[in-house]
Amino acid sequence: MTDTVLCAFADGVLTLTLNRPEKLNAFDEDMHVALRAGFDRAATDDGVRAVLVTGAGRGFCAGQDLGNRDPRKWTEPPNLGRTLDTYYNPLLKRIRGLAKPVICAVNGVAAGAGANVAIACDLVLAARSARFIEAFAKIGLVPDAGGTWTLPHLVGEARAKALALTGEPISAEDAARWGLIWKVVDDDALMDEARALAARLAAGPTLGLGLTKKLIQEAPGRSLEAQLDAERDAQARAGRSADYAEGVTAFLEKRPARFVGR
Ligand code: T3D
């Protein structure tokens, strides 16, 4: 049996490659379990200081494997609420809750939950040929994997509704222009650039980066006053880190900092 997620570790970066290329890396249960295990390792292993997610073959991820949802084989409709509770929602919470940067290299089409998993990551790079498709409307579903939350936060309500209600593809270039992703990279340069970025972040002040991620994610639910309090608390913690002492010392000694991640 092939591994549905390839897991590789180097330079502080855990690379998780979705690996069902013949199905454009559509999610089945094995792939969910393997991807979740990867994020659990990233959360508990101090050696992992950044995660890079990408896809094998020509696609990034085509969302739920619809071969596993064939109505002609139903005795009754599946309980999709349960599959969200069991698989997609725990995955989204792991990506957003990881106190380390998650980089996504979207190497090809990202559809349905595949698109929404991609845009839930912290820094999203996409190959120029990639497309993003909120495919749910085409099959009578609502966007899941956090899409109804992430999309309007990233691109505003008008564009979020247009993407979700039409299910029309958006190019990588438009996705970057709209703020759905960070940037577009030429196809043949994507993985080199994503790996270099992940390695750079993995060599960074992990505690401070994790606190920064949390602050930015939590800001929309807070007043300015509450956010200022949250920044004060996070800064108090960052100010006690070994990396803060190293960062300032390195600056004063005019040399590159050697961050240890705590
Ligand atoms: O069910 C629950 O648990 C609820 C959660 C739902 C979450 C969701 O993600 S719902 C949305 C599911 N995804 C889709 O609706 C997208 C379906 N796929 C497509 O629309 C197209 O494949 C793409 C636009 C993504 C790519 O088109 P194209 O022309 O580049 O490739 P293709 O020829 O359609 O696909 C290549 C192969 O991958 C093909 O297999 P074959 O014919 O060569 O044997 C195709 O069937 C397979 N494939 C693509 N997407 C899926 C898939 N197989 C199973 N499930 C898929 N989602």
Side-chain angles (χ1 to χ4, degrees):
M1 195 178 89
T2 54
D3 291 335
T4 53
V5 175
L6 304 174
C7 221
F9 179 73
D11 301 328
V13 179
L14 186 65
T15 301
L16 303 172
T17 305
L18 310 180
N19 188 36
R20 303 184 71 222
E22 70 292 350
K23 302 276 181 199
L24 300 181
N25 305 316
F27 276 106
D28 66 359
E29 292 183 6
D30 284 349
M31 201 169 95
H32 270 293
V33 169
L35 191 56
R36 181 189 298 189
F39 276 97
D40 285 345
R41 173 176 168 193
T44 53
D45 181 344
D46 288 343
V48 175
R49 291 170 62 188
V51 175
L52 172 60
V53 182
T54 192
R58 75 174 175 91
F60 172 68
C61 175
Q64 172 63 36
D65 188 328
L66 297 177
N68 295 340
R69 296 285 183 268
D70 184 348
R72 295 164 297 187
K73 296 180 186 156
W74 292 349
T75 47
E76 58 181 77
N79 181 344
L80 300 187
R82 192 157 55 215
T83 74
L84 295 197
D85 266 344
T86 309
Y87 295 112
Y88 289 100
N89 294 355
L91 172 62
L92 263 288
K93 287 175 189 170
R94 279 167 170 79
I95 295 171
R96 302 286 296 185
L98 187 70
K100 300 171 184 179
V102 181
I103 298 99
C104 186
V106 182
N107 52 300
V109 67
N116 290 339
V117 164
I119 62 173
C121 296
D122 301 316
L123 294 171
V124 186
L125 278 58
R128 202 166 294 284
S129 65
R131 293 168 286 156
F132 294 80
I133 312 174
E134 293 293 324
F136 308 89
K138 306 253 182 206
I139 55 168
L141 292 184
V142 303
D144 59 20
T148 57
W149 190 93
T150 316
L151 279 172
H153 273 90
L154 292 174
V155 300
E157 188 174 323
R159 284 172 162 168
K161 281 181 179 161
L163 292 175
L165 297 180
T166 67
E168 282 179 15
I170 178 176
S171 67
E173 282 179 6
D174 282 345
R177 211 163 38 82
W178 287 15
L180 189 66
I181 64 169
W182 181 33
K183 67 168 162 175
V184 180
V185 180
D186 286 339
D187 287 25
D188 56 5
L190 177 72
M191 289 317 296
D192 282 350
E193 187 155 338
R195 281 191 201 100
L197 173 66
R200 179 150 60 88
L201 288 167
T206 310
L207 184 118
L209 297 183
L211 291 169
T212 304
K213 168 175 174 172
K214 190 166 188 289
L215 282 167
I216 290 175
Q217 286 179 179
E218 291 178 351
R222 294 202 187 109
S223 65
L224 173 60
E225 196 169 278
Q227 187 68 7
L228 292 175
D229 288 348
E231 286 180 1
R232 175 204 55 214
D233 295 344
Q235 200 70 300
R237 218 175 135 202
R240 290 192 296 270
S241 69
D243 283 341
Y244 170 61
E246 165 62 8
V248 177
T249 307
F251 173 78
L252 296 174
E253 293 178 354
K254 299 189 187 304
R255 61 167 175 81
R258 291 181 294 268
F259 294 119
V260 292
R262 37 176 216 279

